[in-house]
Amino acid sequence: MKNRIKVERAEKGVTQQELAEAVGVSRQTIVAIEKGYFLPSTPLALKIARYFSKPVEMIFFLEEDD
Amino acid sequence: MKIFLFPHRFQFIGWCIFIPAIIGAIVSRFDFMTIPQWAMTALNDAIIIGAVLGSVFIVCSKERDEDEMIGALRLATLMNMLYVNTLLVVTGTLLVNGAEFVEFLIMNLFLMPILFVVSFRAEIRRQHKQAENEKQD
């Protein structure tokens, strides 16, 4: 699963730390999600989408092999 | 499914039990101590319980920044250790026999907690390092 969290952050002008605090995880977790090393749970994906005021499928996308 | 974790302070308690138990296990291998049998039995019990309980406290206590990724790492470590343990037991059963097999099982009792602690802490450290290397933006 790919995501565009980094792009959304840049557009909104928020740091990884600020996003991490807003959704209640550590900065390490945001780094791992952005790099695709860690897949967030549905509640966390929804929290991230809500933070950017966008539907979850605008932030996270399925890949061919998913 | 809710997973029970000990409060964060149990991590410190865990290290305080685990390290002396491992040192005790190493020291007790050398027969330079002449202590009564009952004391030796009590010491062995304390060493085994200390190593096992200490490792559980270390790995199953909440991290300061506990979140779902740490939880996933903990479960992945546990799963990997199950595979390592299975491989060791199968190999040991095939290659070691007689009294040495009992010795092997006792070693295995210590090896698993040590591998569990080392592997989990190394993974947490790797995650921290990765976040440090990533430019904060």
Side-chain angles (χ1 to χ4, degrees), chain A:
Chain A
M1 191 166 78
K2 288 200 295 190
N3 68 77
R4 41 179 277 125
I5 295 177
K6 199 167 186 162
V7 178
E8 294 292 338
R9 278 197 308 103
E11 284 175 9
K12 198 170 169 152
V14 291
T15 63
Q16 290 166 334
Q17 187 63 45
E18 285 167 340
L19 174 61
E21 283 168 15
V23 297
V25 294
S26 65
R27 183 175 158 255
Q28 287 92 312
T29 300
I30 297 296
V31 171
I33 294 172
E34 281 188 358
K35 285 185 170 288
Y37 298 150
F38 176 65
L39 290 181
S41 65
T42 312
L44 180 55
L46 287 166
K47 278 184 197 173
I48 292 171
R50 189 172 62 187
Y51 180 78
F52 292 117
S53 309
K54 289 193 174 166
V56 73
E57 58 268 35
M58 293 279 285
I59 313 280
F60 297 94
F61 319 91
L62 288 175
E63 288 178 286
E64 282 292 311
D65 55 345
D66 280 329

Side-chain angles (χ1 to χ4, degrees), chain B residues 30-88:
Chain B
F30 305 103
D31 292 329
F32 61 81
M33 291 183 295
T34 46
I35 56 173
Q37 187 57 41
W38 66 267
M40 199 62 203
T41 306
L43 184 67
N44 283 338
D45 289 354
I47 286 170
I48 292 172
I49 291 170
V52 176
L53 207 61
S55 68
V56 167
F57 282 171
I58 293 167
V59 179
C60 301
S61 298
K62 283 181 183 163
E63 291 296 306
R64 216 179 292 276
D65 52 356
E66 181 76 29
D67 63 12
E68 64 179 61
M69 189 175 73
I70 304 274
L73 285 179
R74 188 179 287 112
L75 290 181
T77 308
L78 193 58
M79 189 81 175
N80 289 337
M81 284 308 104
L82 179 67
Y83 288 138
V84 170
N85 191 34
T86 305
L87 190 70
L88 276 174

Side-chain angles (χ1 to χ4, degrees), chain B residues 6-15 54 57-58 60-62:
Chain B
F6 295 97
H8 180 64
R9 66 175 181 279
F10 274 74
Q11 202 171 95
F12 176 72
I13 297 170
W15 283 113
F57 282 171
I58 293 167
C60 301
S61 298
K62 283 181 183 163

